Amino acid sequence: MEYYCGIDLGTSSVKVMLLGADGAVLGTEAAGYDMIKKTPCEAEQDMEYLWQQTKECIRALLGKHPGAAADIRGISFSGQMHGMAAVDKNGKPVRNAVIWADQRSQDAIGHIWDTISREEWNRITLNTPCTGFLISSLLWMREHEPERYAKTAKVMLPKDYIRFCMCGEAATDVTDASSTGIFDVKKRQWAWELIDRLGLQREMFPVCGEAFERGGSVSASCSKETGIREGTPLFLGGGDSMMQLAGNGIIKPGILSCNIGTASQVACALDKPVYDTGFRTNTFCHTGRGLWEIQGSSLTGGVALKWLRDNMLHMRDFEEMTSLAGTAPAGSDGLLFLPYLSGERCPCNDPNARGIYFGMSLYHSREHLIRSTMEGVIFGLKGSLEILKDMGIRFDRVIASGGGARGQLFREIQADVFEAEIHTAGEAEQACVGAAMTAAVGCGAFSSYEEACGVLTRPGTEVTVPDKERVKIYREGFARFQELYQRNKTLFS
């Protein structure tokens, strides 16, 4: 049996999967880690530690399947998007990676607007720069850490650093690069004119190709450290949102993905680069030439439940939490959660926004806190969904993905708030599937992603249907949710 390896470098864990040429998963390994937050606005990660965790996963997986290493035809990647991993001329990190949740670069965005008009910027990138985007973090580093900036030879996205460690070649792909904020999304290339006008060196930005294109081979040192055969082809891969879509079989318009991982998004594929004229959503390149994706991104997802579990309730695990939350009624007896623990991106691009529990009384208990947190996350995604609908984007199916797809209660809340049937995927780790699929396409095993999806993806069998009575409760709750942010907006700033 031939295998394809997918490596998904997320925000809270790395996962490594071996996917057979027939679509059967041979095995998956995972290792966790945390953000580094020394101040409320910081969000960093040690890329060398993430590389160590990746190697541990690979060794563990191959240790369980010792004969598989010789049968791996190719490896590709999925990764947390937007972040900046800056390295020196020797390929060593000059600092921790500044990831998507970082909020220190508001002044850097102001510098962009002092240099380039919003109209010109938006016309080229189809996006507005946000804190946590690579371009914002790079300009912040130039201003606040000039010594580190002076040492920087290349800037990479987090997953690209892992591939760099495996082969020694710096490169990226159009899906992840389009999430940096300094990318010409229509032309599928770096926005060189904007880079020049900001006074940045072109050499800092790595070679960029399509997700399925070759990006080096496993080096002798990587082979020794991981057990992967030297010379195994590496492919560029993509951002985790796009790999999630591919792993769910979403490589053409008509299907919506609702992903709840550390953060959360609603996203769908496009056959042309459609964008929100208010630039509340993001339009990025998708896998395969001639494909794009549009997504509404919330900076909070499962991380809100993790924060509640670890910092407030000190409970054992998510299963215990969701079981308890299921004892509270829809609407949490009036308790409402605004989930902006790390600021927000869509539908309101506001890094100053913060979380609120509203309507709390002596009657409320742990079950209400947990359920209202879950409801608040879905209400946030509902705001993005309404923007897509207003743009005329239509879909006939919603697929739940990420950790939020695994719990029945989360899927029920999605169905009731979205007022739509929620389908599951056949494989829990869709981003790994998408990355492995990309390796298969890159190797030439399939002529296209569409052909690959027909063999490598498995449709789910569970469908969650909206409940009419709960739908009424959540319509009212969503209206209050929207009003809660608007009435507190000035207080946040």
Side-chain angles (χ1 to χ4, degrees):
M1 173 70 75
E2 293 180 337
Y3 297 103
Y4 302 96
C5 179
I7 299 175
D8 176 29
L9 189 80
T11 306
S12 57
S13 67
V14 59
K15 303 179 183 73
V16 182
M17 172 186 286
L18 287 177
L19 185 69
D22 60 354
V25 176
L26 179 65
T28 305
E29 285 291 324
Y33 38 76
D34 292 315
M35 296 183 197
I36 301 169
K37 290 186 72 67
K38 296 179 181 178
T39 70
C41 290
E42 292 184 29
E44 299 183 354
Q45 287 182 318
D46 180 346
M47 291 307 304
E48 291 182 308
Y49 179 68
L50 269 58
W51 168 229
Q52 293 296 326
Q53 293 296 84
T54 303
K55 289 189 291 185
E56 289 291 336
C57 280
I58 296 171
R59 285 195 293 262
L61 185 57
L62 295 182
K64 292 179 180 177
H65 308 282
D71 297 321
I72 297 174
R73 286 197 62 195
I75 301 169
S76 193
F77 304 84
S78 164
Q80 53 165 295
M81 295 159 62
H82 311 300
M84 179 189 72
V87 301
D88 63 19
K89 63 182 180 180
N90 298 314
K92 298 298 182 183
V94 302
R95 65 172 340 280
N96 287 335
V98 182
I99 66 170
W100 57 268
D102 194 273
Q103 300 163 44
R104 287 173 287 180
S105 53
Q106 292 185 61
D107 289 346
I109 295 173
H111 171 71
I112 291 175
W113 301 142
D114 290 340
T115 309
I116 302 165
S117 72
R118 292 175 184 263
E119 292 75 17
E120 183 177 6
W121 186 278
N122 293 340
R123 174 176 53 80
I124 294 172
T125 69
L126 304 187
N127 294 282
T128 194
C130 300
T131 55
F133 278 20
L134 183 148
I135 184 56
S136 310
S137 299
L138 180 59
L139 294 173
W140 172 85
M141 183 172 66
R142 184 173 70 176
E143 177 66 23
H144 296 277
E145 298 178 345
E147 292 183 1
R148 287 173 169 168
Y149 179 83
K151 294 178 182 177
T152 300
K154 292 286 184 189
V155 286
M156 306 180 195
L157 290 123
K159 68 140 181 21
D160 297 322
Y161 179 79
I162 300 300
R163 189 185 45 74
F164 174 77
C165 290
M166 297 180 73
C167 68
E169 297 182 24
T172 191
D173 72 285
V174 298
T175 74
D176 221 0
S178 61
S179 80
T180 63
I182 191 75
F183 198 80
D184 189 324
V185 173
K186 291 179 181 177
K187 294 181 179 179
R188 301 173 85 89
Q189 66 181 26
W190 292 112
W192 295 119
E193 181 183 350
L194 302 181
I195 288 169
D196 292 343
R197 288 173 62 184
L198 289 171
L200 300 169
Q201 299 173 14
R202 290 192 175 200
E203 294 75 19
M204 280 187 174
F205 297 85
V207 172
C208 186
E210 294 290 339
F212 56 85
E213 291 183 335
R214 185 77 174 261
S217 303
V218 171
S219 66
S221 60
C222 176
S223 178
K224 184 177 180 180
E225 290 184 282
T226 63
I228 301 173
R229 177 174 47 87
E230 182 181 354
T232 301
L234 301 175
F235 299 90
L236 295 176
D240 54 7
S241 178
M242 299 77 174
M243 293 295 104
Q244 284 267 7
L245 291 180
N248 278 312
I250 306 176
I251 39 79
K252 58 183 179 181
I255 304 174
L256 183 82
S257 167
C258 179
N259 177 58
I260 302 174
T262 302
S264 53
Q265 311 87 28
V266 289
C268 61
L270 303 168
D271 53 15
K272 55 185 177 181
V274 175
Y275 60 95
D276 169 35
T277 55
F279 297 97
R280 296 163 294 178
T281 62
N282 295 116
T283 298
F284 299 136
C285 299
H286 193 11
T287 54
R289 294 185 178 92
L291 281 177
W292 289 264
E293 69 124 46
I294 189 167
Q295 69 178 53
S297 303
S298 174
L299 297 181
T300 305
V303 71
L305 286 175
K306 184 178 186 297
W307 164 80
L308 186 64
R309 181 195 68 184
D310 296 344
N311 293 12
M312 299 294 175
L313 302 183
H314 306 291
M315 297 176 71
R316 290 194 306 272
D317 53 44
F318 294 123
E319 289 74 18
E320 180 189 15
M321 291 178 72
T322 54
S323 177
L324 183 59
T327 66
S332 302
D333 283 319
L335 183 61
L336 195 63
F337 176 60
L338 194 67
Y340 303 155
L341 300 178
S342 298
E344 189 52 307
R345 188 166 295 157
C346 184
C348 51
N349 184 6
D350 186 353
N352 294 314
R354 291 294 178 265
I356 295 174
Y357 284 102
F358 177 77
M360 190 177 292
S361 72
L362 292 174
Y363 175 75
H364 291 111
S365 189
R366 292 188 303 168
E367 60 267 30
H368 297 99
L369 282 170
I370 301 166
R371 183 169 189 131
S372 69
T373 300
M374 298 170 75
E375 291 169 342
V377 169
I378 304 301
F379 281 151
L381 292 172
K382 169 81 167 178
S384 294
L385 181 60
E386 292 301 304
I387 294 173
L388 298 185
K389 288 181 177 179
D390 289 344
M391 292 174 63
I393 295 174
R394 298 290 176 257
F395 48 88
D396 52 24
R397 173 176 288 204
V398 180
I399 298 179
S401 63
R406 296 171 197 161
Q408 177 62 32
L409 180 58
F410 240 145
R411 296 199 303 272
E412 285 180 2
I413 297 171
Q414 288 179 60
D416 296 334
V417 172
F418 289 1
E419 301 184 35
E421 292 184 352
I422 303 297
H423 297 252
T424 58
E427 167 56 43
E429 302 300 340
Q430 299 100 8
C432 279
V433 172
M437 180 191 301
T438 296
V441 173
C443 285
F446 302 98
S447 62
S448 66
Y449 277 95
E450 189 166 8
E451 182 185 354
C453 284
V455 176
L456 300 181
T457 60
R458 300 283 189 268
T461 57
E462 294 185 61
V463 180
T464 305
V465 179
D467 177 88
K468 292 181 179 179
E469 295 305 313
R470 292 196 300 262
V471 164
K472 294 177 184 177
I473 293 170
Y474 285 132
R475 282 178 183 170
E476 180 183 347
F478 180 61
R480 293 172 62 233
F481 176 88
Q482 291 178 300
E483 190 75 9
L484 186 59
Y485 170 73
Q486 293 300 328
R487 294 203 176 213
N488 286 277
K489 182 177 179 180
T490 56
L491 294 178
F492 290 140
S493 60

